[in-house]
Amino acid sequence: MRTVSYIQAVTEAMTEEMERDESVFIMGEDVAWNMMGDCTGLVEKFGTERVRNTPISEAGFVGAGAGAAMVGMRPIVHMLIAPFMYVAFDQIVSIIAKSTYTYGGQARLPITLRAPMMYGVSNAAQHSDRPYATLMTIPGLKLIAPATPHDAKGMLKAAIRDDNPVITFEDRSLWGQSSEVPDGELIVPLGQAAVRREGTDVTVVTVAGAITLGLAAAEQLASEGVSAEVIDLRSIVPMDTDTILESVAKTGRLLIADPAHEMGSVASEISAVVAQHGFWSLQAPIARVTTPHTHMPFNADLEKVLLPNTDKIVAEARALME
Amino acid sequence: MRTVSYIQAVTEAMTEEMERDESVFIMGEDVAWNMMGDCTGLVEKFGTERVRNTPISEAGFVGAGAGAAMVGMRPIVHMLIAPFMYVAFDQIVSIIAKSTYTYGGQARLPITLRAPMMYGVSNAAQHSDRPYATLMTIPGLKLIAPATPHDAKGMLKAAIRDDNPVITFEDRSLWGQSSEVPDGELIVPLGQAAVRREGTDVTVVTVAGAITLGLAAAEQLASEGVSAEVIDLRSIVPMDTDTILESVAKTGRLLIADPAHEMGSVASEISAVVAQHGFWSLQAPIARVTTPHTHMPFNADLEKVLLPNTDKIVAEARALME
Amino acid sequence: MITVDDDLLREMYRRMSRIRKFEDTTKELLLAGELYGAFHTSTGQESSILKTRNALRIHDSMVGTHRSHGHPIGKGAQLDRLLAELMGKETGVNQGKGGSMHLSDFSIGSLGETSIVGSGLPVATGAALAYKMRGDDNVSLCFFGDGASNQGTFHESLNLAAIWKLPVVYVCENNGYGELTSAKDAISVEDISIRAVGYDMPGVTVDGQDVLAVFEAVSEAVDRARRGDGPSLVETKTYRFENHAVGRLPEHYRSSEEVEYWRTERDPLALFHQVLIERGFDEQQIDDLDAAVSEEIVAAIEFARQSPAPPPEAAFTHLFSPSAG
Amino acid sequence: MITVDDDLLREMYRRMSRIRKFEDTTKELLLAGELYGAFHTSTGQESSILKTRNALRIHDSMVGTHRSHGHPIGKGAQLDRLLAELMGKETGVNQGKGGSMHLSDFSIGSLGETSIVGSGLPVATGAALAYKMRGDDNVSLCFFGDGASNQGTFHESLNLAAIWKLPVVYVCENNGYGELTSAKDAISVEDISIRAVGYDMPGVTVDGQDVLAVFEAVSEAVDRARRGDGPSLVETKTYRFENHAVGRLPEHYRSSEEVEYWRTERDPLALFHQVLIERGFDEQQIDDLDAAVSEEIVAAIEFARQSPAPPPEAAFTHLFSPSAG
Ligand SMILES: Cc1ncc(C[n+]2csc(CCOP(=O)(O)OP(=O)(O)O)c2C)c(N)n1
Ligand SMILES: Cc1ncc(C[n+]2csc(CCOP(=O)(O)OP(=O)(O)O)c2C)c(N)n1
Ligand SMILES: [Mg+2]
Ligand SMILES: [Mg+2]
């Protein structure tokens, strides 16, 4: 075991997979320059053909990733910041998500899109989205949001090896966090949620960086005598509804903490699944702690007004216990 | 009162608003040729400047609509088929949805996007999406799905007069349906659901063309002694959650019929709202009758397997009554 | 000047005839209600489509458009599985999931036709990127229409291919219209090939009804790509004899004289027939080629009709590829 | 050749000085922690930005980019409300909602800067469409970078403007880099202006550090647009003195010699200073202009610092415009 930061874990995953398989390569804006600090050492090891800078042409290079994947490569496409996917949206939806189905299984799309999310850092509306819910509406994509260095490494490696398109939403509020990662090979299968803390009174499901808030809230709730079970969703599609339903069967209460906008959120989807398939376990309403349906402002204090935080989670959880 | 088809109602709305206000114009692919039959008489009345054919450049002309709106025009942009919005997705999200907020209210975006949806007609995956749920995740857009000729006219006129971006999802399964529309001015305010049939046992909320299925199901349920209240959502954003919550307070049961894919659907959002704010009224799980999380196949029978229908609604409603 | 021997001439004619007869058949079956879906035929564009074996190898790939029946045929696909696909059958090349706008055949390098206008250009560019990275000498062929040349993906793809010197040939089939809109009203230049200047790549416009002219231009571009000298843009001026979508939509956007002129004076099959005669073929030889194709078509119809429909569960398969991941 | 009288020279210098001093100040305040956000400054690009009153009227509009501090200033915006915006204050031109990447001032025709690279081109094109449809003689000015010229929106916008003959001038500020990537590695042509050929519109490349050259090229394009003769593409070769984003990111992608060269030999302010002297201004006159600008800056800092922060409820306002609809 070593202590590794999230961003290092991401670099390790890419490095190991590129070493292992020649068909893996990374492309994106300024990746060869290691602009974001997440490609350290890659260009030195693999050269600028396999660590490939692209022009600012998201539709073009995302679609080129799809084409390369269809003939046998395994591209990692670096989106720089998640909302830049909007520029390439049609390629993601109409080509990447749909080709395997439309061509009756003839096409394989082993492509990984890395979509780091920046929010809460005064980048204003155009740069601060957390668009996993937007993409959840599109069948044919696997969506993940690893929340620990361990998962950042193991899930990214699984994503790269997956023969299907995977979009990995890296919450940049986690990039700097460090924790234990085993030496040697590490693969974390996609599609499984992780129980991060066991509890009996209320289930708190967290999405992406909300894990930090969820664990802090659980700590505080514990001091008030409320036992929260904290589940890190990790994989958005496929969604591990079994783990959530089992937990709710035990606790009878559900709160979902999700940094994205409330309407159509992953929080809403989880709520709907439980309201349909876990209804008889519920002893209280299902609470969603999300960002209200408005944009991210530039002003730092205004942004804080909108985003989920520990206090909001604690308050909602308390209300469920009444 | 006259009997008018949905598509005629749409044409009337555009004609009247273009007569009323010189700043209203329509652009899109082949609109001047009346390709889809929904622009009958427009080019003869208003000429090719105001009924403007565009090249196949969705990002370009949708964004141009935004720019024209910012300096005082009121464009109606015809998307032809809803999924073509993906090609213009960044302009819709980053510019149209966000500019009013980002510029602190300086920008007005009185633009209407008409997004006809074709599904169930063997157009295969790329042409058959019903992407209102995808866009619901984006704050700053008003989304409507009128389901009667009356609303098609009155809501489209309200949309054109609205100083904000409105996307109107026209379900083409409704285009050919006719019913009564009053003579003279007709404005239907956005943001209000409509109770289409009163009932006491179960609330059936329908989205877009699902109204046809919902009403047929209610008829059948009535013959089995189950009284269904059918609510036509009409406006997706803003969503009239009050009307839904009131109905559920009365019936204690909720089923949502939505032709879109289940994950992240409008059905899921409605369910989450009720599970959070109407929980104590609920006597049964919340049922969603939607399209499973997979793409639309070309084969007509396979497509039918996936789409909601009356039988599925009746069966789910029955299960709620047990 | 590339030499075209008799064998090659014969093969070219055979492929054109296959496309023509396939399209005539599909139109008939559609109007008779046996086929369905949004249906865009290639009749009139056969020359423009054709890339016979010398220009393109089996390992080379191609990407098509919504007007796609002809493209896999041009590359050598079997007609029976294509027709079965149009009937939505399990034996269809896409197992009934794709239909008219997505005919494909990965086994012969047809990576599928995509019906979002302009969306295929990045895909073809990416296939070329793979070939270049792997160091094999495959070439990627990319079809798109005049209308598609106004999509942003055109610009981004050509720029990418140019800076990376990718082995890709962009073939713009300019049939004069995008849906109902004339290219003249939608495109800022007369010849789309001039846009190649903006990417520092060769651009050429050829008579799309003259199969030998198309063959020469494309062969040159393919050779160039295969040599590692980078991408090219080839524009073929052609015409679609049928309406945008068969059996749908108004026809008021173009004159019947114009359609008539192209059908009678500029029919690529008739023009090529003429060439064959000049090159010493006799009518009998040509009739024999046509007859063989007709037999293939009859067999294809039979195959498609006899094939089973996919079972209901098939709606759920192929969302993902089976994967260890 | 456009004549530039002394008044105009003075005004040009004043605006350049305003941009330079504003940027020097914002950089200082940022590094001192008083400002925040992703921060792209225009230092070095002042000439390229400048469109003084004769070229552009108040009713003409402009659309900028993420590197946007200079653009509204160039069009005559007040510094105090811009600086207040960078501090996130209620008095900011965007009421604290936009920040560094969205400085705007609709009151003087700055329709806002948009930070998604390339996203402003359709918007500027649409403003021009409105002007044309209304028959007024406004012109729309569109700024974008070398990097942005590879986005699909560039292609689609220029084609739209060309076929519709819209009164829009596309000004590409080619500062040699998009983030860390050299234009040489990302763009398939040496001069971006050659891409105008693909749209049948005039395209010209000028020395972006020579304000008079920029002024002349842009004035000509603006006049042409105003006359109803359609769009143009003007490329200004310029350089950003600071890193892509101030206080962030590595600087290893370009040599310090290169930066030094541009700072010392190709500083647009110093070059213009020279011109003014040649045109008969004395140092005192120039000092006076600078001093007046410095005073304006001091006042702007004071104003921004004293201004209140927006109240928490402000997070919820402006999602929609108030509307009867
Ligand atoms: C992005 C997108 N916009 C619009 C359409 C509708 N559409 C289908 S075919 C077509 C015309 C395409 O014209 P062109 O590229 O010239 O091809 P052609 O049909 O002439 O072969 C259009 C607009 C579409 N399929 N995709
Ligand atoms: C669509 C999109 N992709 C990537 C980015 C990240 N980004 C911000 S500025 C920039 C470089 C832009 O280069 P250029 O257009 O030359 O403008 P400059 O910064 O040189 O003024 C990039 C890639 C972005 N903001 N938007
Ligand atoms: Mg065409
Ligand atoms: Mg630049």
Side-chain angles (χ1 to χ4, degrees):
Chain A
M1 285 283 184
R2 303 155 301 138
T3 297
V4 171
S5 71
Y6 191 111
I7 187 171
Q8 280 175 310
V10 166
T11 309
E12 276 187 18
M14 295 192 294
T15 309
E16 290 179 15
E17 292 307 301
M18 287 179 75
E19 270 164 357
R20 179 177 170 271
D21 183 346
E22 278 217 322
S23 62
V24 178
F25 70 103
I26 175 159
M27 66 174 159
E29 291 152 20
D30 298 304
V31 288
W33 294 115
N34 188 22
M35 190 182 77
M36 288 205 155
D38 55 352
C39 295
T40 305
L42 290 184
V43 80
E44 293 77 2
K45 276 206 182 69
F46 306 108
T48 52
E49 282 281 307
R50 287 179 71 198
V51 184
R52 179 175 289 267
N53 285 339
T54 62
I56 311 171
S57 305
E58 280 82 3
F61 69 76
V62 168
M70 282 192 201
V71 298
M73 301 295 284
R74 307 186 85 83
I76 304 168
V77 182
H78 196 321
M79 299 308 310
L80 218 62
I81 309 187
F84 302 159
M85 284 192 293
Y86 301 145
V87 182
F89 206 72
D90 181 62
Q91 291 293 317
I92 296 173
V93 178
S94 298
I95 301 291
I96 293 179
K98 292 180 177 171
S99 290
T100 299
Y101 193 86
T102 308
Y103 300 125
Q106 292 173 91
R108 259 165 214 269
L109 274 294
I111 180 172
T112 303
L113 302 189
R114 286 189 50 219
M117 303 183 292
M118 299 173 83
Y119 59 96
V121 291
S122 289
N123 269 340
Q126 287 184 336
H127 276 64
S128 306
D129 279 351
R130 296 117 296 158
Y132 37 77
T134 309
L135 285 147
M136 174 178 58
T137 62
I138 311 296
L141 302 171
K142 298 189 180 180
L143 309 181
I144 60 173
T148 63
H150 177 278
D151 289 350
K153 178 165 181 184
M155 294 179 80
L156 179 53
K157 284 170 67 93
I160 295 168
R161 294 190 195 180
D162 200 294
D163 272 345
N164 294 288
V166 182
I167 307 182
T168 164
F169 293 90
E170 298 171 16
D171 193 316
R172 284 195 51 172
S173 71
L174 301 170
W175 266 18
Q177 295 190 8
S178 295
S179 57
E180 291 206 328
V181 173
D183 301 311
E185 190 67 303
L186 173 67
I187 298 284
V188 177
L190 309 184
Q192 299 178 2
V195 179
R196 295 293 181 205
R197 177 184 175 124
E198 302 208 354
T200 52
D201 296 332
V202 56
T203 300
V204 175
V205 178
T206 65
V207 184
I211 184 64
T212 315
L213 314 175
L215 289 173
E219 200 62 40
Q220 194 175 323
L221 287 164
S223 74
E224 299 176 17
V226 176
S227 163
E229 175 144 308
V230 180
I231 297 177
D232 172 4
L233 188 65
R234 298 201 294 189
S235 177
I236 297 168
V237 183
M239 189 183 278
D240 181 2
T241 52
D242 288 351
T243 296
I244 297 169
L245 287 166
E246 267 166 43
S247 177
V248 175
K250 179 172 68 174
T251 63
R253 294 179 185 82
L254 174 61
L255 180 154
I256 309 121
D258 176 354
H261 299 290
E262 183 155 290
M263 283 198 89
S265 60
V266 170
S268 296
E269 180 61 25
I270 294 172
S271 172
V273 166
V274 174
Q276 185 159 17
H277 304 291
F279 179 77
W280 301 112
S281 311
L282 287 170
Q283 296 165 36
I286 300 173
R288 293 171 293 167
V289 178
T290 60
T291 297
H293 191 66
T294 191
H295 294 298
M296 291 290 101
F298 164 68
N299 178 291
D301 292 323
L302 291 188
E303 207 177 5
K304 285 204 194 86
V305 170
L306 299 175
L307 290 168
N309 59 33
T310 306
D311 289 348
K312 291 179 188 177
I313 296 172
V314 170
E316 286 289 336
R318 244 188 240 134
L320 296 187
M321 299 308 299
E322 272 156 25
Chain B
M1 284 285 183
R2 303 155 300 137
T3 297
V4 171
S5 72
Y6 191 112
I7 187 171
Q8 279 174 312
V10 167
T11 309
E12 275 187 19
M14 294 192 295
T15 309
E16 290 178 15
E17 292 307 300
M18 287 180 75
E19 271 164 355
R20 178 177 171 271
D21 183 346
E22 279 217 321
S23 62
V24 178
F25 70 103
I26 175 159
M27 66 175 158
E29 290 153 19
D30 298 304
V31 289
W33 294 115
N34 189 24
M35 190 181 76
M36 289 206 154
D38 57 351
C39 294
T40 305
L42 289 185
V43 79
E44 293 78 1
K45 274 205 185 72
F46 306 109
T48 51
E49 281 280 307
R50 288 180 70 197
V51 183
R52 178 175 290 266
N53 285 339
T54 61
I56 311 171
S57 305
E58 280 82 5
F61 68 77
V62 167
M70 282 192 200
V71 300
M73 302 297 282
R74 306 186 86 82
I76 304 168
V77 182
H78 196 321
M79 298 308 310
L80 219 62
I81 310 187
F84 302 160
M85 284 191 293
Y86 301 145
V87 182
F89 205 73
D90 182 62
Q91 290 292 317
I92 295 173
V93 177
S94 297
I95 301 290
I96 293 179
K98 291 180 177 170
S99 290
T100 299
Y101 192 86
T102 308
Y103 299 127
Q106 292 173 94
R108 260 167 211 269
L109 274 295
I111 181 171
T112 304
L113 302 189
R114 285 189 49 220
M117 301 183 293
M118 299 173 85
Y119 59 96
V121 291
S122 289
N123 270 339
Q126 287 184 337
H127 276 64
S128 305
D129 279 350
R130 299 115 295 156
Y132 37 77
T134 310
L135 285 147
M136 175 177 60
T137 62
I138 311 296
L141 302 170
K142 298 188 180 182
L143 308 181
I144 60 174
T148 64
H150 177 279
D151 290 351
K153 178 165 180 183
M155 293 179 80
L156 179 51
K157 283 169 68 90
I160 295 168
R161 293 189 196 182
D162 201 295
D163 273 344
N164 294 290
V166 181
I167 306 183
T168 165
F169 292 90
E170 299 171 18
D171 192 317
R172 283 193 54 171
S173 70
L174 301 170
W175 266 19
Q177 296 190 5
S178 295
S179 57
E180 291 206 328
V181 173
D183 302 311
E185 189 65 302
L186 173 66
I187 297 285
V188 177
L190 308 184
Q192 299 178 3
V195 178
R196 296 291 182 206
R197 176 185 177 123
E198 302 209 353
T200 52
D201 295 334
V202 55
T203 300
V204 175
V205 178
T206 67
V207 184
I211 184 65
T212 315
L213 315 175
L215 288 172
E219 199 63 40
Q220 194 176 322
L221 287 165
S223 75
E224 300 176 15
V226 175
S227 164
E229 174 144 308
V230 180
I231 298 178
D232 172 4
L233 187 66
R234 298 201 293 191
S235 177
I236 298 168
V237 182
M239 189 182 278
D240 182 2
T241 52
D242 288 351
T243 296
I244 297 169
L245 288 166
E246 266 166 42
S247 176
V248 175
K250 180 172 67 174
T251 63
R253 293 179 186 81
L254 175 62
L255 179 154
I256 309 123
D258 176 353
H261 299 289
E262 183 154 289
M263 282 200 89
S265 60
V266 170
S268 296
E269 179 61 25
I270 294 172
S271 172
V273 166
V274 174
Q276 185 159 19
H277 304 292
F279 178 77
W280 300 113
S281 312
L282 287 170
Q283 296 166 35
I286 301 174
R288 293 171 293 166
V289 178
T290 60
T291 297
H293 191 68
T294 191
H295 295 298
M296 291 292 100
F298 164 69
N299 179 292
D301 293 322
L302 290 189
E303 206 176 5
K304 284 204 194 87
V305 170
L306 299 175
L307 290 168
N309 59 33
T310 306
D311 289 348
K312 291 180 188 176
I313 296 173
V314 169
E316 285 288 337
R318 246 188 240 134
L320 296 187
M321 299 307 300
E322 273 155 25
Chain C
M1 187 71 196
I2 290 163
T3 47
V4 178
D5 64 18
D6 279 4
D7 270 6
L8 186 50
L9 284 175
R10 201 176 292 114
E11 179 60 16
M12 281 179 168
Y13 184 85
R14 198 179 73 84
R15 293 202 189 186
M16 284 175 71
S17 175
R18 287 173 96 222
I19 299 174
R20 173 65 55 93
K21 286 195 201 297
F22 186 82
E23 290 297 49
D24 286 348
T25 304
T26 59
K27 184 185 170 187
E28 228 170 78
L29 293 173
L30 183 86
L31 296 177
E34 206 171 339
L35 300 180
Y36 53 88
F39 218 84
H40 313 88
T41 60
S42 316
T43 318
Q45 302 185 193
E46 292 85 354
S47 289
S48 176
I49 285 167
L50 205 70
K51 310 293 156 282
T52 46
R53 54 170 189 252
N54 281 19
L56 220 59
R57 303 179 191 161
I58 193 83
H59 293 299
D60 297 329
S61 59
M62 52 143 286
V63 171
T65 72
H66 58 286
R67 190 173 306 289
S68 58
H69 300 173
H71 295 135
I73 301 179
K75 197 154 191 305
Q78 288 187 0
L79 302 186
D80 51 3
R81 296 198 59 208
L82 296 180
L83 197 60
E85 181 59 31
L86 294 180
M87 287 193 191
K89 296 299 180 74
E90 196 174 21
T91 56
V93 73
N94 303 11
Q95 302 194 29
K97 300 262 173 79
S100 169
M101 295 193 283
H102 298 286
L103 287 189
S104 62
D105 189 345
F106 280 55
S107 71
I108 50 104
S110 169
L111 300 184
E113 288 73 18
T114 163
S115 65
I116 298 295
V117 171
S119 66
L121 286 107
V123 176
T125 307
L129 172 60
Y131 303 148
K132 168 136 194 197
M133 289 183 72
R134 287 203 294 250
D136 52 31
D137 69 350
N138 290 352
V139 172
S140 168
L141 200 70
C142 179
F143 289 104
F144 59 101
D146 46 292
S149 79
N150 288 324
Q151 287 287 34
T153 47
F154 167 88
H155 178 65
E156 298 185 13
S157 299
L158 269 71
N159 183 64
L160 276 179
I163 61 169
W164 291 342
K165 267 203 166 188
L166 301 182
V168 51
V169 178
Y170 298 100
V171 179
C172 180
E173 293 181 80
N174 182 348
N175 61 9
Y177 295 88
E179 280 179 357
L180 318 187
T181 293
S182 165
K184 287 190 193 66
D185 294 332
I187 305 174
S188 52
V189 287
E190 173 75 27
D191 291 335
I192 293 166
S193 63
I194 201 176
R195 289 187 166 166
V197 170
Y199 312 100
D200 199 22
M201 72 170 72
V204 60
T205 298
V206 296
D207 177 359
Q209 308 308 81
D210 176 350
V211 66
L212 294 178
V214 175
F215 180 64
E216 178 158 355
V218 173
S219 296
E220 217 163 272
V222 167
D223 288 349
R224 179 184 154 84
R226 215 183 292 288
R227 279 197 312 270
D229 290 342
S232 310
L233 174 61
V234 177
E235 176 188 18
T236 62
K237 301 267 200 204
T238 183
Y239 200 77
R240 60 169 155 73
F241 287 0
E242 300 294 335
N243 206 348
H244 172 66
V246 174
R248 293 190 185 179
L249 305 175
E251 255 277 27
H252 56 311
Y253 61 95
R254 58 182 191 178
S255 69
S256 49
E257 291 76 30
E258 182 183 291
V259 179
E260 219 23 55
Y261 164 74
W262 282 86
R263 277 183 177 277
T264 54
E265 307 292 319
R266 312 280 299 124
D267 180 337
L269 239 91
L271 292 173
F272 195 43
H273 189 120
Q274 190 95 13
V275 171
L276 290 190
I277 298 295
E278 283 160 17
R279 293 282 295 256
F281 285 75
D282 61 31
E283 293 290 351
Q284 186 59 46
Q285 284 174 296
I286 299 174
D287 283 354
D288 288 349
L289 286 170
D290 282 332
V293 170
S294 292
E295 270 174 42
E296 206 186 341
I297 297 272
V298 169
I301 296 175
E302 195 54 22
F303 174 83
R305 282 183 179 152
Q306 301 299 328
S307 290
E313 313 83 74
F316 296 90
T317 56
H318 298 135
L319 181 61
F320 291 116
S321 299
S323 174
Chain D
M1 186 69 196
I2 290 163
T3 48
V4 178
D5 64 19
D6 279 4
D7 269 7
L8 185 50
L9 284 175
R10 201 176 291 115
E11 180 58 17
M12 282 179 167
Y13 184 84
R14 198 178 74 83
R15 294 200 189 188
M16 286 176 69
S17 175
R18 287 173 95 221
I19 299 174
R20 173 65 55 94
K21 284 193 200 302
F22 186 82
E23 290 297 49
D24 286 348
T25 303
T26 58
K27 183 185 171 188
E28 227 170 81
L29 294 173
L30 183 86
L31 296 177
E34 206 171 341
L35 299 181
Y36 54 88
F39 219 86
H40 313 88
T41 59
S42 316
T43 317
Q45 302 186 195
E46 293 85 353
S47 289
S48 177
I49 285 166
L50 205 69
K51 310 293 157 283
T52 47
R53 58 172 187 252
N54 281 20
L56 221 60
R57 303 180 190 159
I58 192 82
H59 294 298
D60 298 328
S61 59
M62 53 144 283
V63 170
T65 72
H66 59 285
R67 190 173 306 288
S68 57
H69 300 172
H71 295 135
I73 301 178
K75 198 155 190 305
Q78 288 187 2
L79 303 185
D80 50 3
R81 297 198 57 208
L82 297 180
L83 197 59
E85 182 60 30
L86 295 179
M87 285 193 193
K89 296 300 180 76
E90 195 174 23
T91 57
V93 72
N94 303 11
Q95 302 194 29
K97 300 261 174 79
S100 169
M101 293 194 285
H102 298 286
L103 286 188
S104 62
D105 189 344
F106 280 55
S107 70
I108 51 106
S110 169
L111 301 184
E113 286 74 17
T114 162
S115 65
I116 300 296
V117 172
S119 65
L121 286 107
V123 176
T125 307
L129 173 60
Y131 303 148
K132 168 136 193 199
M133 289 184 71
R134 287 203 294 249
D136 51 31
D137 70 348
N138 290 352
V139 171
S140 169
L141 200 70
C142 180
F143 289 103
F144 60 101
D146 47 292
S149 80
N150 288 325
Q151 288 286 34
T153 48
F154 167 88
H155 179 63
E156 299 185 12
S157 299
L158 269 71
N159 183 62
L160 276 179
I163 60 168
W164 291 343
K165 265 203 168 191
L166 301 182
V168 51
V169 178
Y170 298 100
V171 179
C172 180
E173 295 180 77
N174 182 347
N175 60 10
Y177 295 88
E179 282 180 356
L180 318 189
T181 294
S182 165
K184 288 190 193 63
D185 295 331
I187 305 176
S188 52
V189 287
E190 172 76 27
D191 291 335
I192 293 166
S193 64
I194 202 175
R195 291 187 164 167
V197 170
Y199 313 99
D200 197 22
M201 71 169 74
V204 61
T205 297
V206 296
D207 177 357
Q209 307 308 80
D210 175 351
V211 66
L212 293 178
V214 175
F215 180 64
E216 180 159 351
V218 174
S219 297
E220 218 163 88
V222 167
D223 288 349
R224 180 184 154 85
R226 215 184 290 290
R227 278 197 313 269
D229 290 342
S232 310
L233 173 60
V234 177
E235 176 188 17
T236 62
K237 300 268 202 205
T238 181
Y239 200 77
R240 61 170 156 72
F241 288 0
E242 300 295 335
N243 207 348
H244 172 67
V246 173
R248 293 190 186 179
L249 307 175
E251 257 276 26
H252 56 310
Y253 61 94
R254 58 182 192 179
S255 69
S256 51
E257 291 75 31
E258 181 183 293
V259 179
E260 217 27 51
Y261 164 74
W262 282 85
R263 279 183 176 277
T264 54
E265 308 291 318
R266 311 281 300 127
D267 179 338
L269 239 90
L271 293 171
F272 195 43
H273 189 121
Q274 190 94 12
V275 170
L276 289 190
I277 298 295
E278 283 160 17
R279 291 283 295 257
F281 285 74
D282 61 30
E283 293 289 351
Q284 186 58 46
Q285 284 173 299
I286 301 173
D287 283 355
D288 288 350
L289 286 170
D290 282 332
V293 170
S294 293
E295 271 174 42
E296 207 187 338
I297 297 272
V298 169
I301 297 175
E302 194 54 24
F303 172 84
R305 283 183 178 153
Q306 301 300 327
S307 290
E313 313 85 73
F316 296 91
T317 57
H318 299 133
L319 181 61
F320 290 117
S321 299
S323 174

